[in-house]
Amino acid sequence: MYQPLPDSSNANDGSWRIRVVQQPTNAKAAQGAKEKSRSPIDPPPIVKLDTFPHLSLHDPYIMVVASSVPTGKHEGESSQQHAKNMTGSMVSSLHRLKDLQNQESGFFIFPDLLIKIPGDFKLHFALMKMKTNPSDPGDLGEWETVAETDSDPFKVYTSKDYPGMAESTVMTRSFSDQGVKVRLRKDSRKLTTAKRNHQVAQNARNT
């Protein structure tokens, strides 16, 4: 299992710090599902770079890596098993965007993460920075973990029990307007209910 650094969401010493600002709510298990019917973790998890020493928001040498951590019956599995539980784009580079208060900040966005099996999970996010030679910035070294944090727990449903994806959040829409590639959607649960009501009404007219 991974050995976490102290939770960066509690850091106050000016070191690296990341925080989940858009929490996952649910997902539909992707294992065995057809590509078109897969539903990613909803809403798209978003991690904010809160504090950082000597960094430009254009820095290409940092990224956040996401992994799934079972919190229910699968808890205690190895990190290799954790990796096998998730698919999609598990790495995000830094996006320089304006938040909902119109303040420019750095964000890492995960619009298409999928969990393969049903159960209770949380997401672990690791902020990685590439080591560079101070005397030669072009001399690149290994990636090191400089901060970590976890999402709130969420549930992954079977296709049968999945309640559907919700309408895109204000934050998701705002970042889409700023050029981030993320799918926008209306509340599929409302659409399903509307279709069902329409069908009931249609059947009533035909009887």
Side-chain angles (χ1 to χ4, degrees):
M1 299 177 66
Y2 68 84
Q3 298 296 320
L5 299 172
D7 188 347
S8 66
S9 63
N10 296 321
N12 56 10
D13 58 358
S15 61
W16 297 89
R17 176 181 172 185
I18 56 175
R19 164 171 68 100
V20 182
V21 292
Q22 180 156 281
Q23 296 284 353
T25 300
N26 60 36
K28 181 171 68 173
Q31 192 173 50
K34 294 181 179 179
E35 190 71 28
K36 291 183 178 180
S37 66
R38 292 183 175 184
S39 299
I41 295 173
D42 186 44
I46 297 176
V47 175
K48 182 179 180 182
L49 183 62
D50 266 352
T51 61
F52 42 89
H54 314 298
L55 174 74
S56 163
L57 289 180
H58 292 292
D59 196 315
Y61 300 128
I62 64 170
M63 63 181 179
V64 167
V65 180
S67 58
S68 63
V69 181
T71 60
K73 66 179 181 179
H74 302 292
E75 190 170 3
E77 291 180 342
S78 69
S79 58
Q80 186 176 4
Q81 287 171 307
H82 291 173
K84 291 180 179 179
N85 285 338
M86 193 162 66
T87 186
S89 300
M90 292 174 275
V91 177
S92 174
S93 56
L94 180 66
H95 295 265
R96 182 179 180 177
L97 302 164
K98 290 186 177 180
D99 62 20
L100 298 182
Q101 287 72 47
N102 206 36
Q103 298 297 314
E104 195 169 70
S105 299
F107 297 91
F108 303 88
I109 303 166
F110 298 85
D112 62 345
L113 289 178
L114 299 102
I115 305 291
K116 297 180 181 179
I117 60 176
D120 297 312
F121 291 85
K122 64 181 178 180
L123 296 176
H124 177 72
F125 297 100
L127 176 63
M128 312 290 291
K129 185 181 186 300
M130 182 172 282
K131 295 179 181 178
T132 57
N133 185 342
S135 61
D136 182 6
D139 181 12
L140 304 179
E142 298 179 348
W143 290 94
E144 61 177 336
T145 301
V146 294
E148 295 178 302
T149 194
D150 289 343
S151 75
D152 292 342
F154 62 96
K155 183 174 287 293
V156 179
Y157 294 89
T158 62
S159 297
K160 177 183 176 182
D161 298 326
Y162 183 56
M165 300 181 76
E167 184 176 354
S168 295
T169 65
V170 174
M171 183 177 293
T172 299
R173 291 181 180 278
S174 172
F175 288 174
S176 175
D177 290 342
Q178 295 177 63
V180 177
K181 293 183 179 180
V182 58
R183 287 181 295 178
L184 299 180
R185 57 189 173 272
K186 295 182 178 179
D187 193 332
S188 64
R189 291 167 293 188
K190 292 180 180 178
L191 293 175
T192 299
T193 301
K195 289 180 180 179
R196 186 184 301 115
N197 292 342
H198 174 76
Q199 187 62 48
V200 170
Q202 186 69 33
N203 291 341
R205 285 194 295 268
N206 294 337
T207 57

